Amino acid sequence: MRITDLLKKQGISLGASPKDKRDAIDQLVALHEKCGNLKDAAAYKEGILKREEMGTTAIGMEVAIPHAKSEAVKAPALTAITVPSGVNYDAPDGNDCKLIFMIAATLDGDVHLEVLARLMQMLMHEDFTAKLKAAKSADEFLKIIDDQEAKQFPEEAAAPTEKEKSGYRVLAVTACPTGIAHTYMAAEALAKAGAEMGITVKVETNGSGGAKNVLTAEEIANCDGIIIAADKSVETARFDGKPVISTKVADGIHKPEELINKIINGEAPVFHSDKKAEASDASDGDSFGRKLYKHLMNGVSHMLPFVVAGGIFIAIAFLIDSFSGVAQDGGFGTGTPVSSWFMFIGKAAFGFMLPILAGFIAMSIADRPGLLVGFVGGALAASGNTFAAPGGDGNSVSGFLGALLAGFIAGWLMKMVMKACDNFPRALEGIKPVLIYPLVGLGIVGVMMCAVNPVMGIINKGMQDGISAMAKNTALIVPVCALLAGMMAIDMGGPFNKAAYVTATGLLAGATVDEPGGWIIMGAVMVGGMVPPIAIALSTTIFRNRWSADERKNGPVNFVMGLSFVTEGAIPYAAGHPLQVIPSCVVGSAAAGALSALFGCTLKAPHGGIFVLPTIGNPLMYFLALAVGSVVGMLMLAILMKKKA
């Protein structure tokens, strides 16, 4: 679908003068309504504003492309305005926007992504954007777009000849964490630079809608080399034996000629698939910390859907039981067949969370051979099924921290195994990936977790015994509650969290009206587990410049998770920024737990968050404690997290 198929003359306003960003959005939505593109203008505008809350859609170069998928849209469409004097649109380069397109997309399909990708590539040409800004009429505006689109995307380009298919000197792959703007900007910059240098270049984009313009085996075999401009892991085994440059996606945008020249001049190292991590980590200027971050983000990005979807299903189970009047005890959330179904599915998704995290961290380090070792390491961290050390527990979980450890160590150990196998006879090449790597890797991770989990078991048991002894002393109730609530935020599902929770549930059964200590402690533990996701959600909403676009986009979901007592919603953020997120959440949770105890708040149910409100004693003060703790955590995050450039 061509851009001019979606943009009508009456959907273009030249020489507009909006007062601010909100006014510009209003004018563009009004153009959509004027063109008959919308069923409900207010609902569509709400979608646009929600998208802007996740991060500005200004892309720099005085251009913005607000967009939204909505059931209020009749059919995919575009509107556009030019603003000669410019309008502040929170652009990343600080410049006012003078050219703004607004995409309206229906819920079915990814037309908006296709249009966005095409616009991004066209707008990389400064002469094109300059012509659009200077257009004197809607007809001229449309003709400029039509001419550029025909030039960049001629119909015959969709079906290249056999010679063209195999004749590219340089191939490239571009990818960014969100898979939208920078992916296509880098692709266009490389293709444009190649055309100016007289060198044939083909670029595969790994965008949010999947890989497009995929490189073929024949093209890979015949090219001089490959450029990987990516900030996330991409499939590289197919490039075995070819010269490969791996670098940041930003370099693809800003240094395309330099990258192409390195391939043409034979300066790129030859890539071997058994040494994937070494090749992909050889990013120009990448520090060791950045390499760690890329591996970590590969695990976090794959884990996030399991956390979000699983947490929401669990919250729905609590909600159903709350409306159904189910007893708020240990079986709350599974009191009806429907709630049991939601709870089962939600917990099933959560069950994959840690294996996915560890598996894809290890895979980022050691390619596909790393997936098995990381996945099994994460599963063992979650289940704790390893041999017990003396005095430990053979069924002790090491949780989130153990899974992180398993992912990185298992990946690096697997990489060493792969290097050790380089000198094997050539006849064994075929069985290395299907037999040698899996068997050796499984043995390594099994032995490794036999050391990790029992140590955690000893720590876990010691903490539980010590806390139980302290909890029996009523004079220590406030500091004990602060301690237990803080422990809920240390590893968010691991030994510290479980020790605090198990202690609280154990004391719950023995609590009475005359001795409510167990109820007070249970209340403090639950509020401590609710704080981390809510603090994250508040921070990504209020202090947006501390977080990436992906982090801001997923932040609001944590309001639901926090209120549902699903502490694990904060795990992706803790994994990405452990030194900032974990201390902030621990302090916020401890503050909430201490206040809950100080106010004499009690809780008679072991789980449920906001859905067990009737069992909370002194509920108004309880939610005040939750609010204070969440704000404390948010403010600490604002101090510890650096502003994004």
Side-chain angles (χ1 to χ4, degrees):
M1 182 176 288
R2 300 179 70 81
I3 291 173
T4 47
D5 294 332
L6 304 177
L7 183 60
K8 301 175 183 177
K9 285 173 57 175
Q10 56 267 46
I12 302 170
S13 175
L14 304 179
S17 54
K19 300 188 295 294
D20 51 27
K21 178 178 178 178
R22 186 67 173 254
D23 190 25
I25 289 172
D26 288 341
Q27 293 187 30
L28 286 156
V29 172
L31 289 172
H32 272 299
E33 191 171 22
K34 177 182 176 182
C35 295
N37 300 331
L38 307 176
K39 302 174 188 175
D40 185 338
Y44 170 69
K45 178 183 172 182
E46 183 180 350
I48 289 289
L49 294 176
K50 283 183 178 178
R51 172 59 187 86
E52 291 296 329
E53 288 173 2
M54 298 176 188
T56 181
T57 50
I59 61 174
M61 304 178 294
E62 301 182 340
V63 178
I65 311 179
H67 51 276
K69 293 178 73 172
S70 172
E71 60 183 9
V73 177
K74 293 180 181 177
L78 273 173
T79 56
I81 62 172
T82 61
V83 187
S85 59
V87 61
N88 183 1
Y89 212 91
D90 301 325
D93 59 6
N95 293 326
D96 288 349
C97 287
K98 297 183 178 180
L99 176 62
I100 308 176
F101 289 91
M102 179 176 281
I103 302 173
T106 55
L107 291 179
D108 56 321
D110 289 316
V111 170
H112 75 299
L113 291 178
E114 295 175 12
V115 174
L116 184 60
R118 181 164 289 201
L119 272 175
M120 293 301 304
Q121 294 176 70
M122 293 170 65
L123 292 168
M124 285 293 293
H125 295 260
E126 294 179 6
D127 57 337
F128 169 64
T129 56
K131 289 178 183 177
L132 288 178
K133 294 172 191 174
K136 302 299 182 184
S137 68
D139 286 326
E140 182 184 354
F141 192 91
L142 287 170
K143 187 176 187 306
I144 293 168
I145 293 175
D146 203 36
D147 290 347
Q148 184 69 21
E149 194 168 14
K151 177 182 175 182
Q152 279 188 248
F153 307 99
E155 295 299 329
E156 59 271 18
T161 65
E162 288 303 313
K163 182 177 180 180
E164 288 173 326
K165 285 182 180 179
S166 59
Y168 297 102
R169 289 195 66 186
V170 177
L171 302 179
V173 180
T174 62
C176 63
T178 55
I180 302 180
H182 291 86
T183 298
Y184 299 103
M185 292 171 71
E188 183 61 21
L190 287 163
K192 180 181 175 184
E196 292 173 352
M197 297 167 69
I199 296 166
T200 51
V201 177
K202 177 179 177 179
V203 187
E204 173 186 306
T205 54
N206 278 223
S208 57
K212 300 291 177 64
N213 206 30
V214 177
L215 309 179
T216 67
E218 185 179 9
E219 290 164 350
I220 294 169
N222 294 332
C223 74
D224 290 350
I226 300 102
I227 299 166
I228 301 175
D231 285 341
K232 67 176 185 179
S233 296
V234 298
E235 176 58 49
T236 56
R238 53 191 166 150
F239 304 140
D240 183 44
K242 300 295 294 187
V244 173
I245 296 173
S246 183
T247 187
K248 303 184 289 287
V249 70
D251 288 346
I253 299 172
H254 302 299
K255 303 177 183 177
E257 297 90 351
E258 179 182 327
L259 296 175
I260 292 171
N261 277 325
K262 283 186 178 181
I263 295 291
I264 299 303
N265 297 333
E267 298 173 15
V270 175
F271 170 79
H272 297 291
S273 62
D274 283 351
K275 300 178 181 177
K276 176 261 179 187
E278 181 179 337
S280 66
D281 284 347
S283 303
D284 294 343
D286 270 6
S287 65
F288 178 69
R290 175 171 169 77
K291 295 171 188 174
L292 287 180
Y293 180 76
K294 287 174 69 175
H295 299 320
L296 183 60
M297 285 301 101
N298 195 52
V300 171
S301 63
H302 284 88
M303 175 188 69
L304 193 60
F306 293 83
V307 177
V308 173
I312 291 176
F313 264 55
I314 291 172
I316 291 172
F318 291 140
L319 181 63
I320 292 171
D321 274 7
S322 181
F323 285 154
S324 302
V326 172
Q328 293 170 343
D329 53 21
F332 188 69
T334 59
T336 68
V338 177
S339 62
S340 292
W341 183 83
F342 275 102
M343 181 63 73
F344 179 81
I345 299 298
K347 285 190 173 181
F350 261 39
F352 287 107
M353 181 176 63
L354 297 185
I356 290 291
L357 172 67
F360 281 92
I361 288 174
M363 186 177 182
S364 179
I365 296 170
D367 209 351
R368 276 185 277 189
L371 181 61
L372 176 137
V373 292
F375 200 95
V376 173
L380 291 174
S383 67
N385 289 319
T386 51
F387 291 122
D393 181 357
N395 216 24
S396 296
V397 300
S398 52
F400 157 56
L401 297 179
L404 276 181
L405 190 68
F408 280 106
I409 296 180
W412 284 320
L413 289 175
M414 198 65 231
K415 183 179 173 184
M416 293 170 62
V417 170
M418 293 159 66
K419 285 184 178 180
C421 293
D422 281 348
N423 297 322
F424 277 23
R426 192 169 185 82
L428 296 178
E429 285 295 320
I431 68 168
K432 283 198 296 187
V434 296
L435 180 62
I436 297 174
Y437 295 158
L439 281 178
V440 175
L442 191 60
I444 287 173
V445 75
V447 171
M448 181 182 76
M449 297 310 292
C450 278
V452 172
N453 281 346
V455 170
M456 290 295 186
I458 296 171
I459 295 172
N460 199 3
K461 190 174 186 302
M463 286 191 298
Q464 288 184 33
D465 293 344
I467 292 167
S468 295
M470 291 173 63
K472 293 175 182 177
N473 188 336
T474 55
L476 297 175
I477 193 72
V478 172
V480 166
C481 285
L483 173 65
L484 292 175
M487 287 172 63
M488 293 295 291
I490 293 176
D491 51 4
M492 304 169 193
F496 289 93
N497 176 285
K498 286 294 184 288
Y501 184 71
V502 169
T503 299
T505 54
L507 295 170
L508 184 63
T512 64
V513 174
D514 295 328
E515 296 184 6
W519 294 338
I520 293 173
I521 288 172
M522 188 71 246
V525 164
M526 189 168 83
V527 81
M530 295 167 74
V531 163
I534 296 176
I536 294 291
L538 287 172
S539 183
T540 55
T541 301
I542 297 173
F543 295 97
R544 299 172 58 79
N545 58 2
R546 267 69 167 179
W547 306 93
S548 69
D550 259 0
E551 289 166 336
R552 292 194 301 268
K553 178 176 67 176
N554 293 299
V557 175
N558 276 298
F559 281 119
V560 177
M561 294 200 181
L563 292 173
S564 304
F565 187 33
V566 181
T567 316
E568 288 86 348
I571 284 181
Y573 298 86
H577 314 278
L579 298 180
Q580 294 80 27
V581 171
I582 293 176
S584 301
C585 290
V586 168
V587 171
S589 292
L595 287 174
S596 174
L598 194 62
F599 296 150
C601 301
T602 59
L603 175 64
K604 299 178 182 178
H607 209 299
I610 195 173
F611 303 111
V612 293
L613 179 62
T615 70
I616 298 174
N618 204 1
L620 289 179
M621 300 309 290
Y622 190 75
F623 283 102
L624 175 62
L626 175 62
V628 171
S630 299
V631 169
V632 167
M634 175 195 72
L635 293 176
M636 272 199 68
L637 283 168
I639 295 169
L640 296 179
M641 292 285 293
K642 293 181 180 179
K643 292 182 180 180
K644 299 291 182 183

